[in-house]
Amino acid sequence: MTDLDAAVDTFGLNRFVPGLAQSEVRVITDDDRGVPDRSVIWIEFDDGDDPARLDEATGHQLEAGIAAALDHRIPVVVVISTSGSDIEEGMAALNGWGRVARQLTACSGLVPTIIIVDGPAVSGPALLLGLADFTIMTERSSAFVNGPVMVEEFTGVAIGTDELGGSATHARYTGVATFVVADRDTAASTALDLLGYLPDSVDAEPARWTSFDPGDRPCPEAGAQIPESSTGSYDVRKVAAAIADEDSMLEVRDRWAANAVTAFATIDGRPVGILANQPMVLAGTLDIPASQKAARFIAFCDAFNLPIITLVDTPGFYPGKDLEWRGMIRHGAQLVYAYARANVPRICVILRKSYGGAYIVMDSKTMGNDLCLAWPWAEIAVMGAGQAAAILARRSTPEERAEFESDYAERLLNPYVAAERGFIDAVIDPADTRSEISAALEILAEKREVLVERKHGNTPL
């Protein structure tokens, strides 16, 4: 955790402009990681007991601070505690927060944006949390568009603030909270830790950390995590930690859609984004929240020049009427879209299962990755043996069905069929995974692609 007093120097912006927020430039020093000093625009509401009402003047302060970050191509951190727009000021207050929303949107994909919530974030201003790249909530904070009074009035259901929009709710159910921490100081330290993995803007690459963990270090403990049974579970975070530099992993949105793991880490000092299926939760299947979480993470990494490492172990998409009715097709397409348009270095490692549509979606060679590796026991096929038997041997006797499954697994559930067709670049010893990735990142460091000119793509939502 970054020591704020030792790491930050500040100077103020617009100090004498009226309003309830203060903007300043903070210069961050990170000697532990060997990252050069960097500047961040820091905008903060007063740390009082009563949350601020967002009036027009405060809106202009926020807008000016965010605009300064965009103009100078440096990250912006906004610390808010607001009860919503000032009712007495009326339309002027609405105009103020609307201008803030527009300015924050202008930053998207150009400079990293982080919002810290330390108190309530109510009504329209709560939507700012969804616009930011990352949202850090303290334990006492809450956020909602319509509060408990409105919910009860319109639905007849009585509900408390914490249950409706507390930090735990947003961490577990909505995915709004990237991190939940104890207090404002811890939130500020977490924001600085997060910024250590990120560049100042789209025009820069993440600073390489000082690393004492050799890039060619063997990692046999990564493969040792995989159980002998193909249906056994394990914690994929231990695999990722074994491949990454020691103590460099920072998991984001760890409580939401836990069947997909998203984390920042370094490999031989290079910051990367890691996306992995988590067999411990829903067997690593992809559902709507996991697809949304993964797509958002991939899009962020691609926007800010972070190589993407994908660790695959999934039997496919989670089946169910409810998911289909809620739009599994649309939301699954978000992940397809995010990978297909990403042009940063992309390395895929198939740890165990990779079936059907999920094989394609999880950064397969077809989706345009730069390197696709597989471990010797990887199972790459249209579907698993049991699923295939249920379709192709559904009229067979139990003995014939068991024989079918055995033959199917022996012939098709391996990485070599895919490797023969060029869909896998290499089948490697798990102990060599770190060194293979590190060497590939060295080669791909100068990767550049010519982008197609267009206003923007039509992202599936």
Side-chain angles (χ1 to χ4, degrees):
M1 190 70 67
T2 302
D3 184 338
L4 290 177
D5 293 334
V8 177
D9 291 324
T10 67
F11 58 90
L13 299 174
N14 299 324
R15 290 186 176 183
F16 301 106
V17 175
L20 302 175
Q22 298 295 325
S23 300
E24 61 188 20
V25 178
R26 295 191 174 186
V27 181
I28 303 169
T29 302
D30 195 339
D31 295 329
D32 292 338
R33 296 171 175 173
V35 177
D37 293 356
R38 60 192 307 188
S39 299
V40 176
I41 296 291
W42 197 280
I43 308 168
E44 190 159 359
F45 280 56
D46 295 334
D47 187 10
D49 293 331
D50 296 326
R53 292 180 296 176
L54 189 56
D55 56 20
E56 185 178 28
T58 303
H60 282 307
Q61 280 187 321
L62 292 171
E63 181 189 13
I66 296 170
L70 188 59
D71 290 342
H72 294 284
R73 290 294 196 267
I74 57 177
V76 59
V77 179
V78 183
V79 186
I80 67 172
S81 174
T82 173
S83 57
S85 298
D86 191 332
I87 298 175
E88 294 180 355
E89 198 173 51
M91 290 302 300
L94 290 177
N95 175 65
W97 90 257
R99 293 169 68 94
V100 174
R102 183 180 180 184
Q103 195 65 55
L104 195 61
T105 301
C107 291
S108 181
L110 294 177
V111 297
T113 56
I114 300 173
I115 289 183
I116 295 173
V117 188
D118 184 33
V122 179
S123 189
L127 298 177
L128 300 177
L129 312 189
L131 294 176
D133 294 318
F134 303 99
T135 298
I136 304 171
M137 299 184 72
T138 62
E139 292 176 352
R140 73 170 188 166
S141 65
S142 59
F144 36 71
V145 177
N146 291 303
V149 174
M150 293 291 288
V151 170
E152 183 173 5
E153 182 177 339
F154 276 85
T155 69
V157 177
I159 190 169
T161 298
D162 288 340
E163 183 182 0
L164 179 62
S167 57
T169 296
H170 286 300
R172 175 67 180 85
Y173 299 110
T174 72
V176 169
T178 311
F179 303 98
V180 175
V181 297
D183 51 37
R184 184 178 288 213
D185 287 343
T186 307
S189 295
T190 301
L192 299 188
D193 288 340
L194 178 58
L195 287 169
Y197 297 88
L198 312 180
D200 282 342
S201 72
V202 65
D203 301 321
E205 294 187 353
R208 192 166 180 175
W209 294 17
T210 300
S211 176
F212 301 99
D213 195 353
D216 59 357
R217 167 179 59 80
C219 56
E221 64 274 25
Q225 301 297 324
I226 310 298
E228 292 185 7
S229 170
S230 63
T231 58
S233 66
Y234 63 94
D235 190 347
V236 77
R237 293 173 297 185
K238 294 182 179 179
V239 176
I243 295 170
D245 293 342
E246 186 176 4
D247 297 328
S248 71
M249 270 188 58
L250 178 66
E251 188 176 357
V252 297
R253 294 189 172 91
D254 59 334
R255 302 188 202 178
W256 180 55
N259 45 326
V261 172
T262 51
F264 295 111
T266 61
I267 297 178
D268 197 19
R270 288 187 174 88
V272 299
I274 296 177
L275 171 61
N277 305 115
Q278 176 57 286
M280 290 181 65
V281 181
L282 299 179
T285 54
L286 293 171
D287 58 3
I288 289 174
S291 298
Q292 293 174 317
K293 174 181 177 178
R296 175 80 166 169
F297 183 76
I298 294 302
F300 177 85
C301 291
D302 182 50
F304 291 104
N305 308 316
L306 284 155
I308 301 166
I309 313 298
T310 305
L311 305 180
V312 183
D313 187 352
T314 177
F317 287 94
Y318 192 89
K321 179 184 74 174
D322 178 61
L323 284 178
E324 297 295 343
W325 285 9
R326 286 164 49 207
M328 186 68 252
I329 293 173
R330 286 189 298 105
H331 295 294
Q334 291 176 344
L335 184 52
V336 176
Y337 188 90
Y339 267 126
R341 72 173 179 177
N343 52 58
V344 295
R346 290 158 47 193
I347 300 171
C348 173
V349 184
I350 301 176
L351 308 181
R352 189 172 58 172
K353 295 178 183 177
S354 186
Y355 295 159
Y359 156 74
I360 296 295
V361 168
M362 291 299 294
D363 203 22
S364 62
K365 180 63 71 174
T366 305
M367 296 301 294
N369 67 36
D370 298 293
L371 179 67
C372 191
L373 307 173
W375 287 358
W377 49 72
E379 301 176 1
I380 305 168
V382 175
M383 60 184 66
Q387 295 168 308
I391 296 172
L392 301 177
R394 60 184 179 276
R395 294 187 177 89
S396 302
T397 65
E399 292 77 13
E400 291 172 334
R401 187 164 173 168
E403 183 179 352
F404 176 90
E405 290 186 22
S406 177
D407 176 69
Y408 182 95
E410 183 178 350
R411 288 188 302 108
L412 300 177
L413 295 187
N414 62 72
Y416 301 104
V417 175
E420 287 175 358
R421 288 163 172 75
F423 301 135
I424 300 295
D425 292 305
V427 180
I428 63 170
D429 185 330
D432 297 332
T433 306
R434 174 180 166 85
S435 60
E436 293 282 351
I437 292 175
S438 180
L441 290 175
E442 183 71 33
I443 295 171
L444 293 168
E446 299 301 320
K447 176 186 175 182
R448 299 292 185 272
E449 290 188 9
V450 178
L451 302 182
V452 177
E453 287 191 16
R454 56 182 167 184
K455 190 173 182 180
H456 59 75
N458 185 16
T459 307
L461 297 174

